[in-house]
PDB file of all heavy atoms in Angstrom:
ATOM      1  N   VAL Q 170      50.961 -21.280 -10.655  1.00  0.00           N
ATOM      2  CA  VAL Q 170      49.560 -21.393 -11.052  1.00  0.00           C
ATOM      3  C   VAL Q 170      49.117 -22.825 -10.810  1.00  0.00           C
ATOM      4  O   VAL Q 170      49.761 -23.767 -11.285  1.00  0.00           O
ATOM      5  CB  VAL Q 170      49.378 -21.026 -12.547  1.00  0.00           C
ATOM      6  CG1 VAL Q 170      47.925 -21.180 -12.948  1.00  0.00           C
ATOM      7  CG2 VAL Q 170      49.884 -19.641 -12.814  1.00  0.00           C
ATOM      8  N   LYS Q 171      48.028 -22.985 -10.035  1.00  0.00           N
ATOM      9  CA  LYS Q 171      47.497 -24.323  -9.772  1.00  0.00           C
ATOM     10  C   LYS Q 171      46.691 -24.796 -10.972  1.00  0.00           C
ATOM     11  O   LYS Q 171      45.983 -24.009 -11.598  1.00  0.00           O
ATOM     12  CB  LYS Q 171      46.588 -24.314  -8.545  1.00  0.00           C
ATOM     13  CG  LYS Q 171      47.309 -24.110  -7.247  1.00  0.00           C
ATOM     14  CD  LYS Q 171      46.318 -24.223  -6.101  1.00  0.00           C
ATOM     15  CE  LYS Q 171      47.006 -24.016  -4.775  1.00  0.00           C
ATOM     16  NZ  LYS Q 171      46.068 -24.065  -3.650  1.00  0.00           N
ATOM     17  N   THR Q 172      46.830 -26.084 -11.235  1.00  0.00           N
ATOM     18  CA  THR Q 172      45.991 -26.660 -12.282  1.00  0.00           C
ATOM     19  C   THR Q 172      44.571 -26.776 -11.751  1.00  0.00           C
ATOM     20  O   THR Q 172      44.305 -26.615 -10.551  1.00  0.00           O
ATOM     21  CB  THR Q 172      46.505 -28.051 -12.681  1.00  0.00           C
ATOM     22  OG1 THR Q 172      46.435 -28.909 -11.547  1.00  0.00           O
ATOM     23  CG2 THR Q 172      47.915 -27.981 -13.234  1.00  0.00           C
ATOM     24  N   TRP Q 173      43.656 -27.103 -12.644  1.00  0.00           N
ATOM     25  CA  TRP Q 173      42.255 -27.199 -12.240  1.00  0.00           C
ATOM     26  C   TRP Q 173      42.070 -28.266 -11.169  1.00  0.00           C
ATOM     27  O   TRP Q 173      41.377 -28.063 -10.176  1.00  0.00           O
ATOM     28  CB  TRP Q 173      41.398 -27.519 -13.474  1.00  0.00           C
ATOM     29  CG  TRP Q 173      39.953 -27.692 -13.161  1.00  0.00           C
ATOM     30  CD1 TRP Q 173      39.034 -26.703 -13.018  1.00  0.00           C
ATOM     31  CD2 TRP Q 173      39.262 -28.910 -12.940  1.00  0.00           C
ATOM     32  NE1 TRP Q 173      37.808 -27.233 -12.724  1.00  0.00           N
ATOM     33  CE2 TRP Q 173      37.918 -28.602 -12.666  1.00  0.00           C
ATOM     34  CE3 TRP Q 173      39.639 -30.252 -12.951  1.00  0.00           C
ATOM     35  CZ2 TRP Q 173      36.949 -29.561 -12.404  1.00  0.00           C
ATOM     36  CZ3 TRP Q 173      38.669 -31.204 -12.685  1.00  0.00           C
ATOM     37  CH2 TRP Q 173      37.338 -30.860 -12.406  1.00  0.00           C
ATOM     38  N   ALA Q 174      42.740 -29.434 -11.338  1.00  0.00           N
ATOM     39  CA  ALA Q 174      42.605 -30.538 -10.387  1.00  0.00           C
ATOM     40  C   ALA Q 174      43.199 -30.166  -9.032  1.00  0.00           C
ATOM     41  O   ALA Q 174      42.620 -30.462  -7.978  1.00  0.00           O
ATOM     42  CB  ALA Q 174      43.269 -31.797 -10.937  1.00  0.00           C
ATOM     43  N   ARG Q 175      44.371 -29.509  -9.029  1.00  0.00           N
ATOM     44  CA  ARG Q 175      44.993 -29.102  -7.753  1.00  0.00           C
ATOM     45  C   ARG Q 175      44.131 -28.067  -7.020  1.00  0.00           C
ATOM     46  O   ARG Q 175      43.994 -28.113  -5.809  1.00  0.00           O
ATOM     47  CB  ARG Q 175      46.391 -28.526  -8.012  1.00  0.00           C
ATOM     48  CG  ARG Q 175      47.367 -29.496  -8.534  1.00  0.00           C
ATOM     49  CD  ARG Q 175      47.880 -30.362  -7.423  1.00  0.00           C
ATOM     50  NE  ARG Q 175      48.821 -31.329  -7.954  1.00  0.00           N
ATOM     51  CZ  ARG Q 175      49.254 -32.347  -7.262  1.00  0.00           C
ATOM     52  NH1 ARG Q 175      48.851 -32.519  -6.038  1.00  0.00           N
ATOM     53  NH2 ARG Q 175      50.098 -33.188  -7.798  1.00  0.00           N
ATOM     54  N   GLN Q 176      43.582 -27.146  -7.780  1.00  0.00           N
ATOM     55  CA  GLN Q 176      42.711 -26.138  -7.161  1.00  0.00           C
ATOM     56  C   GLN Q 176      41.475 -26.797  -6.555  1.00  0.00           C
ATOM     57  O   GLN Q 176      41.073 -26.473  -5.446  1.00  0.00           O
ATOM     58  CB  GLN Q 176      42.306 -25.093  -8.216  1.00  0.00           C
ATOM     59  CG  GLN Q 176      41.558 -23.929  -7.645  1.00  0.00           C
ATOM     60  CD  GLN Q 176      41.267 -22.871  -8.706  1.00  0.00           C
ATOM     61  OE1 GLN Q 176      41.627 -23.035  -9.863  1.00  0.00           O
ATOM     62  NE2 GLN Q 176      40.634 -21.805  -8.298  1.00  0.00           N
ATOM     63  N   ARG Q 177      40.906 -27.737  -7.256  1.00  0.00           N
ATOM     64  CA  ARG Q 177      39.722 -28.443  -6.759  1.00  0.00           C
ATOM     65  C   ARG Q 177      40.051 -29.246  -5.501  1.00  0.00           C
ATOM     66  O   ARG Q 177      39.274 -29.287  -4.559  1.00  0.00           O
ATOM     67  CB  ARG Q 177      39.229 -29.364  -7.884  1.00  0.00           C
ATOM     68  CG  ARG Q 177      38.030 -30.141  -7.608  1.00  0.00           C
ATOM     69  CD  ARG Q 177      36.833 -29.489  -8.241  1.00  0.00           C
ATOM     70  NE  ARG Q 177      35.664 -30.230  -7.798  1.00  0.00           N
ATOM     71  CZ  ARG Q 177      34.787 -30.783  -8.597  1.00  0.00           C
ATOM     72  NH1 ARG Q 177      34.902 -30.620  -9.883  1.00  0.00           N
ATOM     73  NH2 ARG Q 177      33.777 -31.450  -8.110  1.00  0.00           N
ATOM     74  N   LEU Q 178      41.225 -29.873  -5.469  1.00  0.00           N
ATOM     75  CA  LEU Q 178      41.650 -30.651  -4.314  1.00  0.00           C
ATOM     76  C   LEU Q 178      41.837 -29.767  -3.087  1.00  0.00           C
ATOM     77  O   LEU Q 178      41.405 -30.108  -1.981  1.00  0.00           O
ATOM     78  CB  LEU Q 178      42.957 -31.404  -4.643  1.00  0.00           C
ATOM     79  CG  LEU Q 178      43.492 -32.332  -3.564  1.00  0.00           C
ATOM     80  CD1 LEU Q 178      42.497 -33.468  -3.320  1.00  0.00           C
ATOM     81  CD2 LEU Q 178      44.845 -32.891  -3.959  1.00  0.00           C
ATOM     82  N   SER Q 179      42.423 -28.563  -3.268  1.00  0.00           N
ATOM     83  CA  SER Q 179      42.615 -27.661  -2.124  1.00  0.00           C
ATOM     84  C   SER Q 179      41.265 -27.142  -1.603  1.00  0.00           C
ATOM     85  O   SER Q 179      41.061 -27.002  -0.396  1.00  0.00           O
ATOM     86  CB  SER Q 179      43.547 -26.513  -2.500  1.00  0.00           C
ATOM     87  OG  SER Q 179      42.934 -25.690  -3.463  1.00  0.00           O
ATOM     88  N   GLU Q 180      40.315 -26.885  -2.505  1.00  0.00           N
ATOM     89  CA  GLU Q 180      38.985 -26.456  -2.070  1.00  0.00           C
ATOM     90  C   GLU Q 180      38.295 -27.567  -1.285  1.00  0.00           C
ATOM     91  O   GLU Q 180      37.606 -27.308  -0.300  1.00  0.00           O
ATOM     92  CB  GLU Q 180      38.140 -26.061  -3.283  1.00  0.00           C
ATOM     93  CG  GLU Q 180      38.569 -24.768  -3.942  1.00  0.00           C
ATOM     94  CD  GLU Q 180      37.813 -24.494  -5.231  1.00  0.00           C
ATOM     95  OE1 GLU Q 180      36.935 -25.312  -5.608  1.00  0.00           O
ATOM     96  OE2 GLU Q 180      38.106 -23.471  -5.875  1.00  0.00           O
ATOM     97  N   ARG Q 181      38.526 -28.832  -1.713  1.00  0.00           N
ATOM     98  CA  ARG Q 181      37.921 -29.964  -1.013  1.00  0.00           C
ATOM     99  C   ARG Q 181      38.482 -30.080   0.406  1.00  0.00           C
ATOM    100  O   ARG Q 181      37.741 -30.303   1.359  1.00  0.00           O
ATOM    101  CB  ARG Q 181      38.202 -31.247  -1.808  1.00  0.00           C
ATOM    102  CG  ARG Q 181      37.610 -32.470  -1.213  1.00  0.00           C
ATOM    103  CD  ARG Q 181      37.893 -33.646  -2.116  1.00  0.00           C
ATOM    104  NE  ARG Q 181      37.483 -34.880  -1.498  1.00  0.00           N
ATOM    105  CZ  ARG Q 181      37.881 -36.073  -1.873  1.00  0.00           C
ATOM    106  NH1 ARG Q 181      38.715 -36.196  -2.885  1.00  0.00           N
ATOM    107  NH2 ARG Q 181      37.459 -37.138  -1.255  1.00  0.00           N
TER     108      ARG Q 181
END
Side-chain angles (χ1 to χ4, degrees):
V170 179
K171 290 184 180 178
T172 62
W173 178 83
R175 294 282 179 192
Q176 187 176 1
R177 181 100 186 236
L178 183 64
S179 67
E180 289 173 1
R181 181 177 173 197

